[in-house]
Amino acid sequence: MSRKNYHFTSESVSEGHPDKVCDRISDEIVDLVYKEALKSGNDPWSVRVACETLTTTNRVVIAGEVRVPNSLLKTDKNGNQVINPSRFRSATRRAIRDIGYEQDGFHWKNAKIDVLLHSQSADIAQGVDNSSDRQGEEGAGDQGIMFGYACRETPDLMPAPIYYSHKILELMADARKKGEGDAAKLGPDAKSQVTVRYEDGAPVEATQIVVSTQHVDESWDSNKVREVVEPYIREAMGDLKIADECVWHINPTGKFVIGGPDGDAGLTGRKIIVDTYGGAAPHGGGAFSGKDTTKVDRSAAYASRYLAKNVVAANLAERCTIQLSYAIGVAEPLSIYVDTHGTGEIADADLEVVLGQVMDLSPSGIRRHLDLNKPIYAQTSAYGHFGRKPGRGGSFSWEKTDLTKTLKDAVKAI
């Protein structure tokens, strides 16, 4: 029997956090390759990106393997087709500018950008392009395990601590970019953390709130920062009560002027718990950003969230954890695991069978079902990949609950 009364904490980081800057750049490159493939009439199914980014003081290093359309290539002095770095640098500068970095130590216009991308390994490509178990289908881009989770704690079926941590930073960033009063003097780099008290298994109030945010006015102290950000925090908390005795930690170390990659180096893929469920559910360990969707680290994590969310939305469980596993070059998942934490309407083993019936969980099947061959990934790079609203352009398609009827019908047929 799981505990019913406890405290649980999750953190979020803003789009200007050094690691999130890297995630954004890596995902901008994924989007750029998809855009060029679609624009030039190339097959978006052929896109391959595995891109990592490093940032530090006025320096960006982009490395990885790609398969890109000819429009992103150039001919070198030996007559070979190689990556043309100019388009990738331009995309990087646009991303940094949009985040808001125009400080001496990290400026979108002045940062040196090294593009060290090269062609995808032929050894990897042969297994991905042609699976060993399904003729004409792609194999998984790597081995691994992926998890999805959903629960009834919030309207978007996400755990409460990560849900509210994200919302705090989203509202602050929106106010900063709109130039709302003193919020215009906030910097891009920020972190939040919310501790929620659970009673009888349900979130009832926030007992600890932590926010550290960069600011450009060096005269500000912690009290001034709290004065500026507290209204956004209270708005973000919405219907979740802030406890009367809630402990607030707002810029607890004092001023925070030097931030972003100038204050701390950043790397792609270092905030995978922030990206998912805030520690309230398992994580397979693979990062999402910078990867095309043949990489099951990304696509199968989206599929498992999609299935878990639809299970809960269909009232088949109050909570649901799903694990999928894959082998490189093999299309079919090796296993499907379901845990409804004692809240399921049918046996978990029966639900495992049903989920394998209602959705093709091969990499190709996932990409078709969720329509993933699109430039929709830069917007996933901050404030979580889950618990977001599906967009008209196909973004966050894994957050739809359009599988509920199919699930219910399949369950009835058991």
Side-chain angles (χ1 to χ4, degrees):
M1 180 73 70
S2 61
R3 292 177 61 190
K4 295 292 186 180
N5 302 313
Y6 56 95
H7 291 73
F8 195 84
T9 304
S10 295
E11 72 156 344
S12 180
V13 297
S14 73
E15 63 193 288
H17 184 281
D19 297 330
K20 281 289 144 198
V21 173
C22 294
D23 286 346
R24 171 70 178 273
I25 292 169
S26 294
D27 275 337
E28 288 284 359
I29 287 170
V30 174
D31 283 356
L32 174 62
V33 178
Y34 272 120
K35 284 176 187 174
E36 286 298 308
L38 291 166
K39 185 170 72 174
S40 61
N42 282 264
D43 180 8
W45 286 86
S46 67
V47 164
R48 300 290 184 268
V49 184
C51 171
E52 310 290 342
T53 303
L54 161 72
T55 58
T56 186
T57 301
N58 270 332
R59 189 73 179 268
V60 179
V61 180
I62 302 166
E65 296 187 332
V66 294
R67 184 196 293 167
V68 301
N70 289 337
S71 58
L72 294 173
L73 300 174
K74 68 174 185 177
T75 303
D76 68 10
K77 61 184 179 182
N78 297 317
N80 299 314
Q81 289 286 92
V82 297
I83 298 298
N84 185 347
S86 63
R87 298 286 301 280
F88 298 95
R89 289 195 187 104
S90 296
T92 299
R93 294 194 193 281
R94 286 194 299 271
I96 296 169
R97 181 174 59 186
D98 183 65
I99 292 168
Y101 277 113
E102 294 185 337
Q103 57 195 46
D104 290 342
F106 196 70
H107 197 296
W108 65 270
K109 187 182 292 185
N110 302 327
K112 181 181 179 183
I113 302 171
D114 295 324
V115 179
L116 307 176
L117 299 170
H118 60 85
S119 297
Q120 183 187 40
S121 160
D123 292 342
I124 293 176
Q126 66 180 348
V128 177
D129 292 343
N130 297 290
S131 70
S132 62
D133 60 327
R134 279 175 59 169
Q135 187 67 29
E137 289 282 352
E138 299 169 335
D142 202 350
Q143 71 175 49
I145 58 174
M146 299 83 210
F147 287 92
Y149 181 72
C151 61
R152 294 198 182 281
E153 295 179 19
T154 61
D156 292 321
L157 305 185
M158 286 288 288
I162 189 67
Y163 179 85
Y164 292 109
S165 293
H166 285 325
K167 285 203 169 296
I168 289 169
L169 296 182
E170 284 184 279
L171 289 178
M172 287 169 51
D174 187 55
R176 169 177 60 86
K177 290 183 172 183
K178 288 179 178 177
E180 293 182 1
D182 280 341
K185 297 180 180 179
L186 297 175
D189 193 357
K191 302 178 79 171
S192 65
Q193 189 167 285
V194 176
T195 300
V196 175
R197 183 173 71 83
Y198 286 75
E199 190 173 284
D200 198 24
V204 294
E205 61 182 6
T207 61
Q208 304 261 354
I209 295 173
V210 183
V211 171
S212 293
T213 180
Q214 185 185 15
H215 52 89
V216 299
D217 190 329
E218 296 197 28
S219 70
W220 284 13
D221 59 11
S222 299
N223 292 329
K224 176 60 179 178
V225 174
R226 176 167 177 172
E227 176 189 319
V228 174
V229 303
E230 184 171 346
Y232 300 107
I233 295 171
R234 291 190 178 278
E235 180 183 352
M237 298 308 293
D239 293 334
L240 184 67
K241 178 186 176 184
I242 299 176
D244 295 337
E245 67 280 12
C246 179
V247 179
W248 295 65
H249 299 278
I250 309 298
N251 278 30
T253 61
K255 74 175 184 178
F256 179 9
V257 174
I258 299 173
D262 188 31
D264 189 12
L267 287 169
T268 300
R270 283 206 300 200
K271 290 292 178 284
I272 58 177
I273 300 303
V274 171
D275 285 343
T276 53
Y277 308 102
H283 193 295
F288 303 156
S289 291
K291 298 176 181 177
D292 74 81
T293 49
T294 62
K295 280 69 173 177
V296 283
D297 278 341
R298 181 166 223 159
S299 55
Y302 292 169
S304 56
R305 161 65 178 176
Y306 174 70
L307 291 175
K309 187 173 183 179
N310 276 271
V311 166
V312 174
N315 296 315
L316 296 175
E318 295 292 308
R319 294 171 59 204
C320 183
T321 300
I322 292 174
Q323 184 206 59
L324 303 175
S325 68
Y326 292 85
I328 189 169
V330 179
E332 291 292 332
L334 307 186
S335 63
I336 303 172
Y337 168 81
V338 174
D339 184 359
T340 56
H341 308 276
T343 70
E345 294 297 314
I346 65 170
D348 290 346
D350 290 338
L351 196 50
E352 290 167 357
V353 174
V354 167
L355 294 180
Q357 295 171 345
V358 300
M359 184 175 176
D360 180 353
L361 292 171
S362 68
S364 295
I366 293 169
R367 296 214 281 169
R368 280 191 294 265
H369 191 109
L370 298 179
D371 197 14
L372 297 179
N373 292 340
K374 291 182 174 180
I376 55 175
Y377 299 105
Q379 59 198 301
T380 69
S381 61
Y383 314 119
H385 291 245
F386 308 126
R388 310 285 291 276
K389 302 296 183 188
R392 291 181 180 177
S395 61
F396 301 103
S397 58
W398 50 93
E399 290 297 308
K400 293 181 178 179
T401 53
D402 55 357
L403 200 66
T404 54
K405 184 180 185 304
T406 303
L407 274 171
K408 290 177 181 178
D409 291 343
V411 167
K412 288 177 184 176
I414 293 177

